[in-house]
Amino acid sequence: MTPKPESHPLWAELRANPDDTLKLALADYLEENGDPNTGYALRWCVAHDRWPRVTKSLIMWLTDPTEKHAGKKRDVARALLPVVFFVVLKQAQTQADLKFVTTGYAYSTLAIAMEVLGEVLADLRRMITTERARTDR
């Protein structure tokens, strides 16, 4: 996984206004231009009502639902990911831009946060496919 800049103008728009229509438009663009995992991550976020916390300096996925997080309840709930995502993330943690903070994982750009989520989702799909093939024997 190579970190990429937020070169498409929809990334900046999404950072300011995380509208589902914009997410799906960017997903289409990414999938058509060779980045299916990040496109899938955006679609997954729409389907599961998830979106990272966006601050002035960081983009964060939160890890602990019992932790008191500042901000609106809905925004906090949307930024929480299932624990298994973080297990997979730790196993594949080669991302230089990744920072662990006490309440989650933080990134410098929305594009990188989505790219990492896309890689985690791809790894989970591979694991499930492998397990199904193993148990079907």
Side-chain angles (χ1 to χ4, degrees), residues 1 9-10 18 34 38 105 109 112 121 128:
M1 178 175 12
L10 281 178
T38 306
Y105 288 86
T109 71
I112 293 172
L121 289 165
I128 291 166

Side-chain angles (χ1 to χ4, degrees), residues 15 53-60 99 106-109:
R15 188 176 173 115
R53 300 255 341 250
V54 177
T55 69
K56 288 181 182 178
S57 60
L58 293 174
I59 311 298
M60 288 182 48
K99 298 172 188 154
Y107 304 88
S108 61
T109 71

Side-chain angles (χ1 to χ4, degrees), residues 81-102:
L81 292 177
V83 173
V84 69
F85 283 53
F86 298 104
V87 171
V88 172
L89 179 62
K90 282 182 183 179
Q91 291 174 350
Q93 188 175 342
T94 58
Q95 179 64 35
D97 190 59
L98 173 71
K99 298 172 188 154
F100 181 75
V101 292
T102 53

Side-chain angles (χ1 to χ4, degrees), residues 1 3 11 15-16 18 20 22 24 29 31 41 45 50 68 72 76 83 107 112-113 116 122 131 133:
M1 178 175 12
W11 284 118
R15 188 176 173 115
D20 286 350
L22 293 174
L24 295 173
Y29 170 83
E31 290 167 350
C45 287
R50 294 287 180 252
K68 295 244 184 217
K72 297 177 186 172
V76 169
V83 173
Y107 304 88
I112 293 172
V116 171
E131 182 60 20

